[in-house]
Amino acid sequence: MAFKLKVSAPFICMMVLVLATGSNGGGISIYWGQNGNEGTLADTCATGNYEYVNIAFLATFGNGQTPMINLAGHCDPYSNGCTGLSSDIKSCQAKGVKAILSIGGGAGSYSLASSDDARQVATYLWNNFLGGTSSSRPLGPAILDGIDFDIEGGTGEYWDELAKYLSGYSKKGKKVYLTAAPQCPFPDAWIGNALKTGLFDYVWVQFYNNPPCQYSSADIANLEDAWKQWTSDIPATNIFLGLPAAPDAAGSGFIPVNDLTSKVLPAIKNSSKYGGVMLWSKYYDDQSGYSSSIKSHV
């Protein structure tokens, strides 16, 4: 005997709504480029684990310096050896992965001397990595999806100006995504003002190497407090939990997979600004398999 359950349309709509709001899924952002043993950019995107790949780093720029990209052992920019990455970038984008150029880094030589300097750097980035034209594009003709501000030195001045100039190029066709990797102590010492502009699409906050606001020994309180401050005070569309992909990837702040999936993510995913998890870096992720272990929970 068949039993038929009659379900009203409003009930179905309600269930769909519950499912949509109850599954606040996010993506994984990865940094690639600082270890020649981490595989190719194309292979990185082919894993299917990442929605965003930050190509790191344009480590020298601003204040009259000749801009120079540094991709460790992957290629030699001095002999135009990184232009071959163009096909990898297009391969990533064909898979729906956003390919972003990360500027700065922990050991770079960079600063902005003035608003005009910020404008010149924005023009350089547009012509050499985004939708503009230049005879010397370091990564070849592929058009990257945006620029990541990983500013960890110099001064905090004029980064807001750089963000405004770069954002203006979105009016020329393809949107220029702006992302940033501030430290978790709020506000960030270098790009705190830039983040107030509301121009950043994705902000992956580094919850590591910062004991006052990171997870430690099963204590989630400091991380949760910092997370709430970031998500309430920064006008960004998506905030990400930035983590080391392995214990050796950072001095402190590594969260074991079980702790992340059972304690940390459940505590932060209810935020409407939750965007996912950022990992440093592809090399360490290869060692630990971290992204594969957390992907279904992010």
Side-chain angles (χ1 to χ4, degrees), residues 176-246:
V176 176
Y177 285 89
L178 295 184
T179 73
Q183 312 289 312
C184 60
F186 188 92
D188 183 78
W190 293 286
I191 52 172
N193 282 334
L195 291 170
K196 288 180 190 172
T197 62
L199 296 172
F200 288 82
D201 300 282
Y202 310 114
V203 178
W204 8 89
V205 184
Q206 297 184 41
F207 283 88
Y208 53 94
N209 294 336
N210 287 293
C213 48
Q214 70 192 29
Y215 179 85
S216 63
S217 313
D219 180 13
I220 195 176
N222 289 348
L223 183 149
E224 198 171 5
D225 288 346
W227 175 264
K228 284 174 180 169
Q229 185 161 33
W230 277 100
T231 52
S232 61
D233 291 0
I234 289 297
T237 315
N238 289 284
I239 311 274
F240 286 64
L241 180 72
L243 299 173

Side-chain angles (χ1 to χ4, degrees), residues 9 13 28 65 74-75 77 85 101 103 118 120 135 137 148 154 177 191 197 202 209 212 236 244 268:
C13 290
I28 298 178
Q65 301 176 95
H74 287 288
C75 54
L85 282 171
L101 174 70
I103 65 172
Q120 290 180 38
S135 60
R137 290 175 68 95
D148 174 58
Y177 285 89
I191 52 172
T197 62
Y202 310 114
N209 294 336
I268 68 171

Side-chain angles (χ1 to χ4, degrees), residues 32-41 56 71-76 81-82 85:
W32 175 93
Q34 285 301 292
N35 192 301
N37 298 314
E38 63 194 340
T40 68
L41 182 59
L71 298 179
H74 287 288
C75 54
D76 177 17
C82 300
L85 282 171

Side-chain angles (χ1 to χ4, degrees), residues 24-270:
N24 195 6
I28 298 178
S29 172
I30 195 79
Y31 277 82
W32 175 93
Q34 285 301 292
N35 192 301
N37 298 314
E38 63 194 340
T40 68
L41 182 59
D43 288 345
T44 297
C45 294
T47 62
N49 285 354
Y50 317 115
E51 262 94 309
Y52 317 88
V53 174
N54 301 288
I55 301 170
F57 293 103
L58 182 74
T60 303
F61 64 89
N63 203 15
Q65 301 176 95
T66 300
M68 184 56 65
I69 198 165
N70 177 340
L71 298 179
H74 287 288
C75 54
D76 177 17
Y78 291 94
S79 62
N80 286 331
C82 300
T83 55
L85 282 171
S86 193
S87 59
D88 287 40
I89 292 165
K90 291 174 181 175
S91 168
C92 290
Q93 292 168 331
K95 292 177 173 65
V97 179
K98 287 186 172 59
I100 298 161
L101 174 70
S102 186
I103 65 172
S109 169
Y110 52 86
S111 64
L112 297 175
S114 63
S115 177
D116 188 58
D117 192 21
R119 182 184 58 77
Q120 290 180 38
V121 169
T123 301
Y124 170 81
L125 292 170
W126 169 255
N127 286 331
N128 288 276
F129 297 99
L130 301 168
T133 53
S134 166
S135 60
S136 58
R137 290 175 68 95
L139 302 180
I143 297 172
L144 292 172
D145 294 290
I147 303 294
D148 174 58
F149 288 48
D150 185 12
I151 307 305
E152 302 184 39
T155 74
E157 292 189 277
Y158 307 112
W159 300 111
D160 54 341
E161 298 281 329
L162 179 60
K164 287 170 189 171
Y165 287 124
L166 285 170
S167 180
Y169 284 113
S170 286
K171 297 175 184 140
K172 297 204 170 189
K174 182 178 175 179
K175 176 176 167 60
V176 176
Y177 285 89
L178 295 184
T179 73
Q183 312 289 312
C184 60
F186 188 92
D188 183 78
W190 293 286
I191 52 172
N193 282 334
L195 291 170
K196 288 180 190 172
T197 62
L199 296 172
F200 288 82
D201 300 282
Y202 310 114
V203 178
W204 8 89
V205 184
Q206 297 184 41
F207 283 88
Y208 53 94
N209 294 336
N210 287 293
C213 48
Q214 70 192 29
Y215 179 85
S216 63
S217 313
D219 180 13
I220 195 176
N222 289 348
L223 183 149
E224 198 171 5
D225 288 346
W227 175 264
K228 284 174 180 169
Q229 185 161 33
W230 277 100
T231 52
S232 61
D233 291 0
I234 289 297
T237 315
N238 289 284
I239 311 274
F240 286 64
L241 180 72
L243 299 173
D248 292 344
S252 62
F254 176 74
I255 304 180
V257 169
N258 287 343
D259 288 6
L260 181 72
T261 57
S262 68
K263 297 174 187 170
V264 180
L265 288 179
I268 68 171
K269 284 181 74 173
N270 58 359

